[in-house]
Amino acid sequence: MTEFLATDPATLALITAILLLAGAVKGVVGLGLPTVTLALLTATIGLEAAIAVMLLPSLITNVWQAVVGGALGEVLRRLWAFLLALTIGVLAASGASAVIATSTLTALLGVSIVLYGTIGLTTPPWPRPGRWEGPLSPVMGLATGILTGMTGSFVMPAVPYLQALGLPRDRLVQSMGVTFLVATLALAIGLGGRGLLPDELIMLSAISVVPALVGMEIGRRVRSRLSEQRFRQVLFWALLLLGLWIVLKPWI
């Protein structure tokens, strides 16, 4: 199966187009590359292959977001317990595909995407954790890590939790970059250590970096010509509907 994915021209063209689109989304709004990639690839080539292909583009595109911003030390000091618990959760759950049916994990991914799309559209006023931040941070990190290990998606509940901290916009963007980078590294280690990253899929992931970066540059250039609010509405509606389709697909 993986050899077919790596050599089939139609599959290569599909992956290239999806990563170009996902990169453009990230270039416009600063997030969404892993979620868009997972949603579209899972619907076409399956969850396990989609997670593997997503790894390197996500890693490369999040390095810059994590490092640049001038507050890496501050972010790490505040979020170290969250990030440590996230890493533990990812490593513990990254072998889920060996014991849980792929259809169940795919449905779980679909549900998480639906939640992400719904939250993106409604933008509820999250209450700040305040004095509960200390004990709540590792709980949110562990929950995010387990969901990441099982589905490859690391936005829930990490993004709502980080938004609830009331960070300035630049700190929030950098905090999400650090979170996504740590989650991607942990997922790669977890899957690789279990032999779940065939060479063919690693090659596809490496090839996918180029269209992702090209897409990011395209998105960056057209950002000023678009209404970011309208673009985000379209993006989150699309993710919500795609997540629903992933969940309902086995019964359609």
Side-chain angles (χ1 to χ4, degrees):
M1 175 64 174
T2 56
E3 293 180 359
F4 172 76
L5 289 176
T7 57
D8 178 55
T11 302
L12 290 173
L14 174 68
I15 292 173
T16 298
I18 288 174
L19 266 296
L20 190 66
L21 173 63
V25 168
K26 186 174 179 67
V28 172
V29 299
L31 52 83
L33 184 144
T35 306
V36 173
T37 301
L38 275 175
L40 293 175
L41 285 182
T42 297
T44 51
I45 65 174
L47 177 62
E48 294 179 2
I51 292 174
V53 171
M54 174 271 297
L55 285 175
L56 284 177
S58 177
L59 180 66
I60 298 300
T61 55
N62 279 312
V63 166
W64 181 261
Q65 185 175 338
V67 174
V68 174
L72 181 59
E74 177 185 329
V75 169
L76 292 176
R77 282 191 296 272
R78 183 165 186 178
L79 297 180
W80 70 268
F82 171 82
L83 297 171
L84 178 60
L86 184 153
T87 301
I88 293 172
V90 172
L91 294 177
S94 57
S97 61
V99 294
I100 301 176
T102 301
S103 59
T104 301
L105 297 178
T106 301
L108 184 59
L109 172 64
V111 170
S112 70
I113 292 174
V114 169
L115 288 174
Y116 183 47
T118 302
I119 290 170
L121 289 169
T122 58
T123 56
W126 302 107
R128 295 192 181 187
R131 62 189 179 91
W132 295 103
E133 181 177 341
L136 189 59
S137 192
V139 173
M140 291 294 100
L142 186 63
T144 301
I146 292 173
L147 191 59
T148 298
M150 296 176 72
T151 68
S153 175
F154 31 75
V155 296
M156 294 296 295
V159 171
Y161 175 68
L162 294 175
Q163 290 173 334
L165 295 179
L167 300 168
R169 179 174 174 80
D170 57 341
R171 296 293 182 272
L172 175 61
V173 171
Q174 188 169 17
S175 296
M176 287 194 295
V178 171
T179 297
F180 299 160
L181 178 59
V182 170
T184 305
L185 286 171
L187 187 59
I189 293 170
L191 293 176
R194 290 178 168 85
L196 298 176
L197 289 178
D199 291 342
E200 292 81 5
L201 290 180
I202 294 175
M203 181 180 71
L204 276 178
S205 188
I207 293 172
S208 300
V209 171
V210 175
L213 292 176
V214 171
M216 280 187 65
E217 179 61 18
I218 293 173
R220 186 189 67 81
R221 294 192 178 196
V222 302
R223 183 189 305 160
S224 61
R225 304 179 184 180
L226 296 175
S227 165
E228 182 172 332
Q229 181 178 3
R230 181 62 57 85
F231 185 85
R232 289 172 68 93
Q233 287 178 337
V234 172
L235 169 65
F236 287 124
W237 268 114
L239 287 174
L240 190 157
L241 294 174
L242 187 56
L244 284 173
W245 187 76
I246 290 173
V247 172
L248 298 175
K249 183 181 177 182
W251 291 277
I252 297 177

